[in-house]
Amino acid sequence: MTMAGNLDRVFVFASSFVIAFCLVGIAAMGSAAWSFSQAATVEVPLVATFRGYVEQGGSHAMTVQGSWFGVLAVVLALAAPLATVALVYRSRPEGI
């Protein structure tokens, strides 16, 4: 395997974690927005709880209670398939 092939694998491996982290961030922001705007409770088991409510003055508010270990587990679960493909993939010989 050439050095360029190894760099490609490292790039895809690292990108899988960045993509997974961004997906988790987007999901968290969406859940927080929904909880805030609807004054509802959104619970993601073992990861986070977003509690939205309306204060006495009528304004919306929200609290967040979460677990970094839960977020890490979700990121690892989302990144695992692409990272596995990056490690296992064998490119075709260049002579063919």
Side-chain angles (χ1 to χ4, degrees):
M1 175 160 297
T2 65
M3 186 63 158
N6 287 335
L7 290 177
D8 291 346
R9 286 182 180 202
V10 170
F11 177 76
V12 172
F13 187 81
S15 295
S16 67
F17 288 97
V18 172
I19 292 167
F21 183 75
C22 290
L23 287 174
V24 169
I26 291 168
M29 288 184 279
S31 297
W34 176 262
S35 175
F36 180 80
S37 67
Q38 300 298 315
T41 298
V42 177
E43 185 173 350
V44 182
L46 303 175
V47 178
T49 301
F50 304 90
R51 287 187 181 89
Y53 56 93
V54 179
E55 290 186 334
Q56 195 170 19
S59 63
H60 287 254
M62 183 191 62
T63 61
V64 179
Q65 183 179 13
S67 166
W68 286 109
F69 290 115
V71 171
L72 179 63
V74 171
V75 167
L76 289 174
L78 288 174
L82 185 57
T84 303
V85 169
L87 291 175
V88 176
Y89 178 75
R90 301 236 187 248
S91 61
R92 290 186 289 171
E94 293 185 26
I96 296 177

